[in-house]
Amino acid sequence: MPPPRADAAAGDADAARGNAAAPGNGVARADGANGTDGAARVGLRGRADVGGPGADADQGTEAEWGEGVVRAAGCVLWRGARTGVEIALVHRPKWLDWSHPKGQLHDGEPAATAAVREVREETGMTCALGARLPTAHYRVTTGWKTVDYWLAEALSGTFTPSAEIDRVTWLPPARAHLLLTHPRDRALLATALHLLH
């Protein structure tokens, strides 16, 4: 498999940012069509401040996380394509953002199990977990959130839109980097791509 192209098409920046729902770009929409809808025209990258005050700027310390931390797990989901590697991103209409698939752990659920479950629930894909990625720690409106991440290869499945996730897109790494809303997710993608080389 060829390595991912991190330098792919700098000219795709505008396309990734403002036209990710254009025909033929890999976006699956809630209405089943490929094309631009009202939400896409408003701004595909979404608000930079979602996830709570200082979500990207304030990683906190382990002492600050305390007992009330929200635990979650997710994946940087990838698949091989004719042109290299593609990365799956999910769109959350509640927050108007694009991110990696992730979600909260159920009571007593191991983080790795939760990561696989969340990928399936949010993208419709089964996956094989690969390397462990850095854990994210950030503020949310209720306190602190910690998300354990893995690199994961998509195996099979079909996306079904929901109220939580209305679109999934598969993009080359450079375009995925541009579309991700949060700096922490872009940094996570960079780490994942380094491991895929």
Side-chain angles (χ1 to χ4, degrees):
M1 168 178 58
R5 291 178 47 209
D7 62 341
D12 283 345
D14 292 334
R17 191 174 291 116
N19 198 20
N25 74 347
V27 173
R29 283 190 16 203
D31 62 9
N34 282 338
T36 304
D37 62 9
R41 285 191 296 271
V42 168
L44 287 171
R45 294 203 61 202
R47 299 189 312 264
D49 62 345
V50 296
D56 284 315
D58 194 349
Q59 295 288 308
T61 64
E62 201 162 341
E64 291 175 307
W65 304 333
E67 294 289 321
V69 68
V70 175
R71 304 259 177 216
C75 295
V76 174
L77 186 64
W78 68 277
R79 69 181 181 189
R82 287 190 311 265
T83 57
V85 169
E86 292 180 330
I87 304 296
L89 302 182
V90 297
H91 182 261
R92 302 184 303 171
K94 178 179 178 180
W95 301 110
L96 295 175
D97 71 353
W98 287 94
S99 65
H100 302 292
K102 67 179 178 301
Q104 292 185 26
L105 275 62
H106 293 163
D107 288 343
E109 184 180 31
T113 302
V116 171
R117 175 182 52 76
E118 287 294 335
V119 165
R120 188 180 63 252
E121 289 177 3
E122 294 192 354
T123 70
M125 302 298 293
T126 60
C127 68
L129 291 186
R132 187 79 154 71
L133 296 172
T135 298
H137 309 281
Y138 53 92
R139 286 186 189 277
V140 293
T141 53
T142 56
W144 289 95
K145 186 172 191 173
T146 182
V147 187
D148 294 315
Y149 281 105
W150 281 263
L151 187 59
E153 182 178 9
L155 301 176
S156 65
T158 303
F159 172 66
T160 302
S162 67
E164 183 182 1
I165 303 296
D166 63 351
R167 285 177 281 169
V168 169
T169 186
W170 290 91
L171 294 170
R175 292 186 66 202
H177 177 86
L178 291 169
L179 188 57
L180 283 163
T181 302
H182 303 286
R184 66 177 174 263
D185 288 336
R186 292 193 289 273
L188 187 69
L189 176 59
T191 300
L193 292 174
H194 179 74
L195 293 171
L196 280 173
H197 275 124

